Amino acid sequence: MKGLGELERSIMDIIWAQPSPVTAREVGRLIADRDLAPTTVMTVLDRLTRKGFLLRTRDGRAWRYEAAESRDAYIAELMLEALDMTGDRSAALTRFAQAVTGTEADILRRALTDLEEELEGE
């Protein structure tokens, strides 16, 4: 998965927060803390679409953009890419498990148990 630059991340955060697809103009209004030209917003949205982060559909003369995947899916992919960078996935996973809180460990345990049960049911 290709990474996101700072502006791309800001725009993705806006899109992930929206309940429905948005236009470039709406994104421009929502990223008001930056003084961006409308063409800059459209260029970044187009780039994010080409990278596979966004889906777009025609709405009259405008495009509406929505995330291709959830923020959680994106973060999980980043975590998997980080694991691929290590020569020892087991050591990295063990170190990660030692660093999480008790609550996070419980969540991981439940997710692994659910996955095991799902695989046994197949």
Side-chain angles (χ1 to χ4, degrees):
M1 173 177 267
K2 298 171 190 80
L4 293 172
E6 180 187 342
L7 181 54
E8 291 173 329
R9 228 178 3 261
S10 295
I11 287 177
M12 285 304 301
D13 285 340
I14 287 168
I15 291 174
W16 277 318
Q18 302 313 303
S20 59
V22 292
T23 64
R25 179 173 286 169
E26 291 167 334
V27 171
R29 278 197 304 265
L30 292 167
I31 198 165
D33 61 325
R34 298 185 136 177
D35 190 20
L36 299 176
T39 55
T40 301
V41 173
M42 288 187 291
T43 298
V44 175
L45 289 168
D46 183 59
R47 188 170 51 232
L48 287 167
T49 301
R50 282 187 277 117
K51 285 183 170 184
F53 286 99
L54 295 178
L55 302 173
R56 71 179 178 187
T57 53
R58 204 38 118 166
D59 184 8
R61 292 177 50 212
W63 289 104
R64 289 207 167 268
Y65 296 88
E66 63 184 316
E69 296 284 339
S70 68
R71 182 193 317 262
D72 294 340
Y74 171 66
I75 297 301
E77 187 66 31
L78 289 177
M79 293 168 72
L80 290 170
E81 285 180 10
L83 275 176
D84 287 342
M85 293 180 352
T86 180
D88 187 350
R89 287 176 73 109
S90 294
L93 284 168
T94 299
R95 182 79 175 201
F96 178 78
Q98 292 168 344
V100 299
T101 66
T103 302
E104 292 165 337
D106 290 341
I107 292 167
L108 286 171
R109 260 189 232 94
R110 274 194 304 274
L112 291 171
T113 299
D114 291 348
L115 180 60
E116 285 176 2
E117 291 172 358
E118 183 179 309
L119 292 174
E120 288 172 3
E122 289 182 355

